[in-house]
Short mmCIF file of all heavy atoms in Angstrom, two decimals:
data_model
loop_
_atom_site.label_atom_id
_atom_site.label_comp_id
_atom_site.label_asym_id
_atom_site.label_seq_id
_atom_site.Cartn_x
_atom_site.Cartn_y
_atom_site.Cartn_z
N SER A 139 49.76 -61.98 -41.52
CA SER A 139 51.03 -62.14 -40.83
C SER A 139 52.18 -62.02 -41.79
O SER A 139 53.23 -61.44 -41.44
CB SER A 139 51.07 -63.49 -40.11
OG SER A 139 50.09 -63.56 -39.11
N ALA A 140 52.02 -62.55 -43.00
CA ALA A 140 53.08 -62.46 -44.01
C ALA A 140 53.32 -61.00 -44.39
O ALA A 140 54.47 -60.55 -44.51
CB ALA A 140 52.71 -63.27 -45.24
N GLU A 141 52.24 -60.26 -44.58
CA GLU A 141 52.38 -58.85 -44.93
C GLU A 141 53.03 -58.06 -43.80
O GLU A 141 53.84 -57.17 -44.01
CB GLU A 141 51.01 -58.23 -45.26
CG GLU A 141 51.10 -56.80 -45.74
CD GLU A 141 49.75 -56.23 -46.15
OE1 GLU A 141 48.77 -57.00 -46.25
OE2 GLU A 141 49.68 -55.00 -46.37
N TYR A 142 52.65 -58.45 -42.56
CA TYR A 142 53.24 -57.80 -41.39
C TYR A 142 54.76 -58.01 -41.37
O TYR A 142 55.53 -57.05 -41.19
CB TYR A 142 52.59 -58.40 -40.14
CG TYR A 142 53.19 -57.95 -38.83
CD1 TYR A 142 52.81 -56.76 -38.25
CD2 TYR A 142 54.14 -58.74 -38.19
CE1 TYR A 142 53.35 -56.35 -37.03
CE2 TYR A 142 54.68 -58.34 -36.98
CZ TYR A 142 54.29 -57.15 -36.41
OH TYR A 142 54.84 -56.76 -35.22
N ILE A 143 55.21 -59.24 -41.53
CA ILE A 143 56.64 -59.53 -41.54
C ILE A 143 57.33 -58.80 -42.68
O ILE A 143 58.42 -58.23 -42.52
CB ILE A 143 56.88 -61.06 -41.66
CG1 ILE A 143 56.42 -61.77 -40.42
CG2 ILE A 143 58.36 -61.34 -41.89
CD1 ILE A 143 56.55 -63.28 -40.50
N PHE A 144 56.68 -58.77 -43.83
CA PHE A 144 57.23 -58.10 -45.00
C PHE A 144 57.53 -56.64 -44.69
O PHE A 144 58.64 -56.14 -44.97
CB PHE A 144 56.24 -58.20 -46.17
CG PHE A 144 56.52 -57.29 -47.32
CD1 PHE A 144 57.55 -57.57 -48.20
CD2 PHE A 144 55.77 -56.14 -47.52
CE1 PHE A 144 57.83 -56.72 -49.26
CE2 PHE A 144 56.03 -55.30 -48.58
CZ PHE A 144 57.05 -55.59 -49.46
N HIS A 145 56.57 -55.94 -44.10
CA HIS A 145 56.78 -54.52 -43.80
C HIS A 145 57.77 -54.30 -42.65
O HIS A 145 58.67 -53.47 -42.77
CB HIS A 145 55.43 -53.86 -43.45
CG HIS A 145 54.56 -53.64 -44.62
ND1 HIS A 145 54.91 -52.84 -45.69
CD2 HIS A 145 53.31 -54.15 -44.92
CE1 HIS A 145 53.95 -52.84 -46.58
NE2 HIS A 145 52.96 -53.62 -46.15
N VAL A 146 57.62 -55.04 -41.58
CA VAL A 146 58.49 -54.82 -40.42
C VAL A 146 59.94 -55.12 -40.74
O VAL A 146 60.84 -54.38 -40.32
CB VAL A 146 58.00 -55.66 -39.21
CG1 VAL A 146 59.00 -55.55 -38.06
CG2 VAL A 146 56.63 -55.18 -38.74
N THR A 147 60.20 -56.18 -41.50
CA THR A 147 61.59 -56.48 -41.83
C THR A 147 62.18 -55.44 -42.77
O THR A 147 63.34 -55.06 -42.62
CB THR A 147 61.70 -57.88 -42.49
OG1 THR A 147 60.76 -58.00 -43.56
CG2 THR A 147 61.48 -58.98 -41.50
N ASN A 148 61.39 -54.96 -43.70
CA ASN A 148 61.88 -53.90 -44.57
C ASN A 148 62.15 -52.61 -43.80
O ASN A 148 63.09 -51.88 -44.12
CB ASN A 148 60.89 -53.63 -45.70
CG ASN A 148 61.08 -54.53 -46.89
OD1 ASN A 148 62.00 -54.35 -47.68
ND2 ASN A 148 60.24 -55.54 -47.04
N LEU A 149 61.35 -52.35 -42.77
CA LEU A 149 61.52 -51.13 -41.99
C LEU A 149 62.65 -51.26 -40.97
O LEU A 149 63.29 -50.29 -40.64
CB LEU A 149 60.21 -50.80 -41.27
CG LEU A 149 59.05 -50.35 -42.16
CD1 LEU A 149 57.74 -50.35 -41.38
CD2 LEU A 149 59.33 -48.97 -42.74
N GLU A 150 62.90 -52.47 -40.48
CA GLU A 150 63.88 -52.68 -39.41
C GLU A 150 65.22 -53.20 -39.88
O GLU A 150 66.22 -53.05 -39.19
CB GLU A 150 63.33 -53.68 -38.38
CG GLU A 150 62.28 -53.16 -37.47
CD GLU A 150 61.95 -54.14 -36.36
OE1 GLU A 150 62.16 -55.35 -36.55
OE2 GLU A 150 61.51 -53.69 -35.30
N ASP A 151 65.25 -53.83 -41.04
CA ASP A 151 66.41 -54.64 -41.42
C ASP A 151 67.58 -53.84 -41.99
O ASP A 151 68.36 -54.37 -42.78
CB ASP A 151 65.98 -55.69 -42.45
CG ASP A 151 66.91 -56.89 -42.45
OD1 ASP A 151 67.64 -57.07 -41.47
OD2 ASP A 151 66.91 -57.64 -43.45
N GLY A 152 67.71 -52.59 -41.60
CA GLY A 152 68.87 -51.81 -42.03
C GLY A 152 68.80 -51.32 -43.46
O GLY A 152 69.80 -50.88 -44.02
N HIS A 153 67.63 -51.34 -44.06
CA HIS A 153 67.49 -50.90 -45.45
C HIS A 153 67.57 -49.37 -45.52
O HIS A 153 67.03 -48.66 -44.68
CB HIS A 153 66.17 -51.36 -46.05
CG HIS A 153 66.08 -52.84 -46.25
ND1 HIS A 153 66.58 -53.45 -47.35
CD2 HIS A 153 65.58 -53.82 -45.46
CE1 HIS A 153 66.37 -54.77 -47.25
NE2 HIS A 153 65.76 -55.00 -46.11
N ASP A 154 68.24 -48.89 -46.55
CA ASP A 154 68.34 -47.45 -46.79
C ASP A 154 67.13 -47.02 -47.60
O ASP A 154 67.22 -46.69 -48.79
CB ASP A 154 69.64 -47.15 -47.53
CG ASP A 154 69.88 -45.65 -47.68
OD1 ASP A 154 69.28 -44.89 -46.89
OD2 ASP A 154 70.66 -45.26 -48.56
N LEU A 155 65.97 -47.00 -46.94
CA LEU A 155 64.71 -46.70 -47.64
C LEU A 155 64.54 -45.19 -47.84
O LEU A 155 64.83 -44.40 -46.93
CB LEU A 155 63.52 -47.23 -46.86
CG LEU A 155 63.41 -48.74 -46.68
CD1 LEU A 155 62.24 -49.05 -45.76
CD2 LEU A 155 63.21 -49.42 -48.01
N PRO A 156 64.00 -44.76 -48.98
CA PRO A 156 63.63 -43.35 -49.15
C PRO A 156 62.55 -43.03 -48.11
O PRO A 156 61.73 -43.88 -47.78
CB PRO A 156 63.07 -43.30 -50.58
CG PRO A 156 63.67 -44.49 -51.26
CD PRO A 156 63.76 -45.55 -50.21
N PRO A 157 62.53 -41.79 -47.61
CA PRO A 157 61.52 -41.41 -46.60
C PRO A 157 60.09 -41.69 -47.03
O PRO A 157 59.26 -42.10 -46.22
CB PRO A 157 61.77 -39.91 -46.42
CG PRO A 157 63.24 -39.76 -46.69
CD PRO A 157 63.51 -40.71 -47.83
N SER A 158 59.77 -41.46 -48.32
CA SER A 158 58.39 -41.71 -48.77
C SER A 158 58.01 -43.17 -48.63
O SER A 158 56.87 -43.49 -48.28
CB SER A 158 58.23 -41.24 -50.22
OG SER A 158 59.07 -41.99 -51.08
N GLU A 159 58.95 -44.09 -48.89
CA GLU A 159 58.66 -45.51 -48.78
C GLU A 159 58.54 -45.92 -47.32
O GLU A 159 57.71 -46.75 -46.95
CB GLU A 159 59.75 -46.33 -49.47
CG GLU A 159 59.76 -46.12 -50.98
CD GLU A 159 60.81 -46.98 -51.68
OE1 GLU A 159 61.45 -47.82 -51.03
OE2 GLU A 159 60.99 -46.81 -52.90
N ARG A 160 59.40 -45.35 -46.47
CA ARG A 160 59.31 -45.68 -45.04
C ARG A 160 57.98 -45.19 -44.49
O ARG A 160 57.34 -45.87 -43.66
CB ARG A 160 60.47 -45.03 -44.28
CG ARG A 160 60.59 -45.44 -42.83
CD ARG A 160 61.90 -44.98 -42.22
NE ARG A 160 63.02 -45.72 -42.75
CZ ARG A 160 63.40 -46.91 -42.31
NH1 ARG A 160 62.72 -47.49 -41.34
NH2 ARG A 160 64.45 -47.51 -42.83
N ALA A 161 57.52 -44.02 -44.93
CA ALA A 161 56.23 -43.49 -44.47
C ALA A 161 55.09 -44.43 -44.88
O ALA A 161 54.19 -44.70 -44.08
CB ALA A 161 56.01 -42.10 -45.06
N LYS A 162 55.14 -44.94 -46.11
CA LYS A 162 54.10 -45.88 -46.58
C LYS A 162 54.15 -47.18 -45.75
O LYS A 162 53.11 -47.79 -45.46
CB LYS A 162 54.29 -46.19 -48.06
CG LYS A 162 53.89 -45.06 -48.99
CD LYS A 162 53.74 -45.54 -50.42
CE LYS A 162 55.04 -46.05 -50.99
NZ LYS A 162 54.91 -46.44 -52.42
N GLY A 163 55.36 -47.58 -45.38
CA GLY A 163 55.50 -48.81 -44.59
C GLY A 163 54.88 -48.67 -43.21
O GLY A 163 54.16 -49.56 -42.76
N TYR A 164 55.13 -47.53 -42.55
CA TYR A 164 54.54 -47.31 -41.23
C TYR A 164 53.00 -47.27 -41.33
O TYR A 164 52.31 -47.80 -40.46
CB TYR A 164 55.05 -45.98 -40.63
CG TYR A 164 56.47 -46.04 -40.16
CD1 TYR A 164 57.37 -45.00 -40.46
CD2 TYR A 164 56.95 -47.10 -39.41
CE1 TYR A 164 58.68 -45.05 -40.03
CE2 TYR A 164 58.26 -47.15 -38.97
CZ TYR A 164 59.13 -46.11 -39.29
OH TYR A 164 60.44 -46.17 -38.87
N ALA A 165 52.50 -46.64 -42.39
CA ALA A 165 51.05 -46.56 -42.57
C ALA A 165 50.46 -47.97 -42.78
O ALA A 165 49.38 -48.28 -42.27
CB ALA A 165 50.72 -45.67 -43.75
N ALA A 166 51.20 -48.82 -43.51
CA ALA A 166 50.72 -50.18 -43.75
C ALA A 166 50.69 -50.99 -42.46
O ALA A 166 49.74 -51.77 -42.23
CB ALA A 166 51.62 -50.86 -44.79
N VAL A 167 51.70 -50.83 -41.61
CA VAL A 167 51.70 -51.55 -40.33
C VAL A 167 50.53 -51.10 -39.48
O VAL A 167 49.86 -51.90 -38.83
CB VAL A 167 53.04 -51.33 -39.60
CG1 VAL A 167 52.98 -51.92 -38.18
CG2 VAL A 167 54.19 -51.95 -40.37
#
Side-chain angles (χ1 to χ4, degrees):
S139 296
E141 184 176 350
Y142 174 84
I143 293 177
F144 167 75
H145 286 298
V146 173
T147 50
N148 273 284
L149 292 167
E150 285 189 335
D151 204 19
H153 291 276
D154 186 20
L155 295 174
S158 62
E159 293 183 7
R160 187 169 290 278
K162 286 195 297 183
Y164 286 135
V167 173

